[in-house]
């Protein structure tokens, strides 16, 4: 299984694209601005979009992608999300004010978009791929995902703060890769706490939950462009000076990477 990183930044800037991952060629996890790097043909092959939550950096490209490929599709795009996320899309995006309601276009009987609700803890079977919905702690209802590949599970924390329930489940899985957010530097730790994101200090607390026998590459995602270098340096210092992050194989995620799972 291939996981293609379309976007992994916490905001936009030159060469910074917000969160989106392409699983194979038919499943999209989150629909941030990185989706815009796909060709029309690549977008047209996507049949399923799984959303972690309703924040704009994770859904921004969804309405634009639908508009771009609607005439190319022969079946509705399936959008899988928590009921609260679906309600937010219906109320604030696909509401015929911000964007057309593609769940009723061209008709209610044959729409371009259909919603599929899931619950935290649910194991989904989508296009032959097993995907588990993991718990997350954020300012709106949110989840992470674990996707089963040939070599283990690709695990994505989504946007989250400290979350024991996440580790309780992840520690039972044969993880191949972990992608975990660290949105803010330690100088912004109060903002990180209020917005329910991680900073390097709280990342260290989270990684301490990994069982010693479990070792796998850990990719840092969702850094704010203005703080990326500082966040990376603070993580390096924690690992080098205190050992509080280690021994872990910590890497930096970037758009354009492909992970083989």
């Amino acid at each position: 299984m291939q996981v293609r990183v379309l976007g992994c930044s916490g905001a936009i800037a030159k060469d910074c694209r917000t969160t989106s991952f392409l699983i194979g060629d038919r499943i999209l996890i989150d629909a941030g601005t990185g989706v815009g790097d796909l060709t029309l043909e690549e977008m047209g092959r996507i049949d399923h979009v799984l959303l972690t939550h309703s924040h704009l950096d994770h859904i921004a490209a969804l309405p634009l992608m639908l508009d771009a490929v609607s005439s190319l599709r022969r079946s509705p795009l399936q959008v899988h999300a928590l009921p609260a996320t679906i309600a937010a899309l219906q109320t604030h995006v696909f509401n015929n004010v911000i964007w057309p309601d593609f769940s009723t276009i061209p008709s209610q009987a044959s729409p371009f978009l259909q919603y599929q609700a899931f619950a935290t803890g649910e194991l989904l079977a989508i296009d032959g791929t097993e995907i588990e919905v993991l718990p997350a702690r954020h300012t709106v209802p949110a989840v992470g995902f674990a996707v089963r590949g040939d070599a283990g599970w690709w695990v994505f924390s989504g946007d989250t703060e400290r979350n024991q329930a996440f580790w309780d489940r992840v520690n039972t899985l044969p993880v191949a890769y972990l992608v975990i957010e660290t949105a803010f530097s330690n100088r912004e730790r109060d903002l990180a706490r209020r917005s329910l994101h991680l900073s390097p200090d709280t990342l260290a607390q989270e990684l301490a939950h990994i069982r010693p026998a479990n070792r796998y590459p850990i990719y840092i995602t969702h850094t704010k462009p203005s703080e990326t270098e500082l966040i990376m340096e603070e993580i390096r210092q924690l690992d080098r000076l205190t050992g509080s992050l280690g021994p872990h194989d910590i890497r930096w995620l970037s758009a354009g990477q492909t992970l083989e799972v």
Side-chain angles (χ1 to χ4, degrees), residues 78-216:
Q78 305 295 314
V79 174
H80 307 256
L82 290 169
T85 302
I86 292 172
L89 290 173
Q90 293 171 321
T91 301
H92 301 294
V93 180
F94 296 106
N95 59 5
N96 293 317
V97 177
I98 299 300
W99 209 247
D101 181 2
F102 279 91
S103 68
T104 62
I105 297 173
S107 69
Q108 288 188 333
S110 182
F112 290 134
L113 164 66
Q114 288 181 333
Y115 297 107
Q116 304 290 341
F118 56 56
T120 301
E122 191 171 349
L123 182 63
L124 311 173
I126 297 177
D127 193 38
T129 301
E130 289 185 37
I131 303 175
E132 184 166 337
V133 184
L134 299 175
R137 289 186 62 238
H138 201 36
T139 55
V140 295
V143 299
F145 294 111
V147 183
R148 187 173 186 174
D150 296 332
W153 292 75
W154 176 82
V155 176
F156 174 42
S157 71
D159 284 14
T160 189
E161 219 252 355
R162 285 165 289 185
N163 184 6
Q164 180 65 53
F166 174 82
W167 298 107
D168 289 344
R169 179 55 184 148
V170 169
N171 277 331
T172 69
L173 297 174
V175 177
Y177 298 97
L178 170 64
V179 176
I180 188 167
E181 72 121 282
T182 309
F184 294 98
S185 68
N186 285 330
R187 71 182 179 187
E188 298 285 2
R189 59 172 57 88
D190 289 340
L191 178 57
R193 177 181 51 80
R194 292 197 304 272
S195 60
L196 294 182
H197 282 290
L198 296 175
S199 61
D201 280 347
T202 49
L203 172 69
Q205 295 172 34
E206 288 300 275
L207 297 187
H209 291 291
I210 298 174
R211 291 175 180 167
N214 297 345
R215 288 291 175 255
Y216 39 76

Side-chain angles (χ1 to χ4, degrees), residues 226-258:
S226 62
E227 292 213 314
T228 295
E229 291 303 321
L230 177 58
I231 292 168
M232 291 178 178
E233 181 56 29
E234 288 178 340
I235 290 175
R236 290 189 194 102
Q237 288 178 3
L238 280 168
D239 197 15
R240 182 171 61 246
L241 299 180
T242 70
S244 60
L245 292 180
H248 294 294
D249 180 3
I250 298 176
R251 310 179 187 186
W252 316 110
L253 202 63
S254 61
Q257 284 181 280
T258 298

Side-chain angles (χ1 to χ4, degrees), residues 4-9 15 17 21 219-221 232 251-259:
R4 182 175 165 188
V5 183
L6 303 179
C8 54
S9 178
D15 298 326
R17 297 157 179 81
F21 302 94
Y219 285 89
I220 305 301
T221 189
M232 291 178 178
R251 310 179 187 186
W252 316 110
L253 202 63
S254 61
Q257 284 181 280
T258 298
L259 304 178

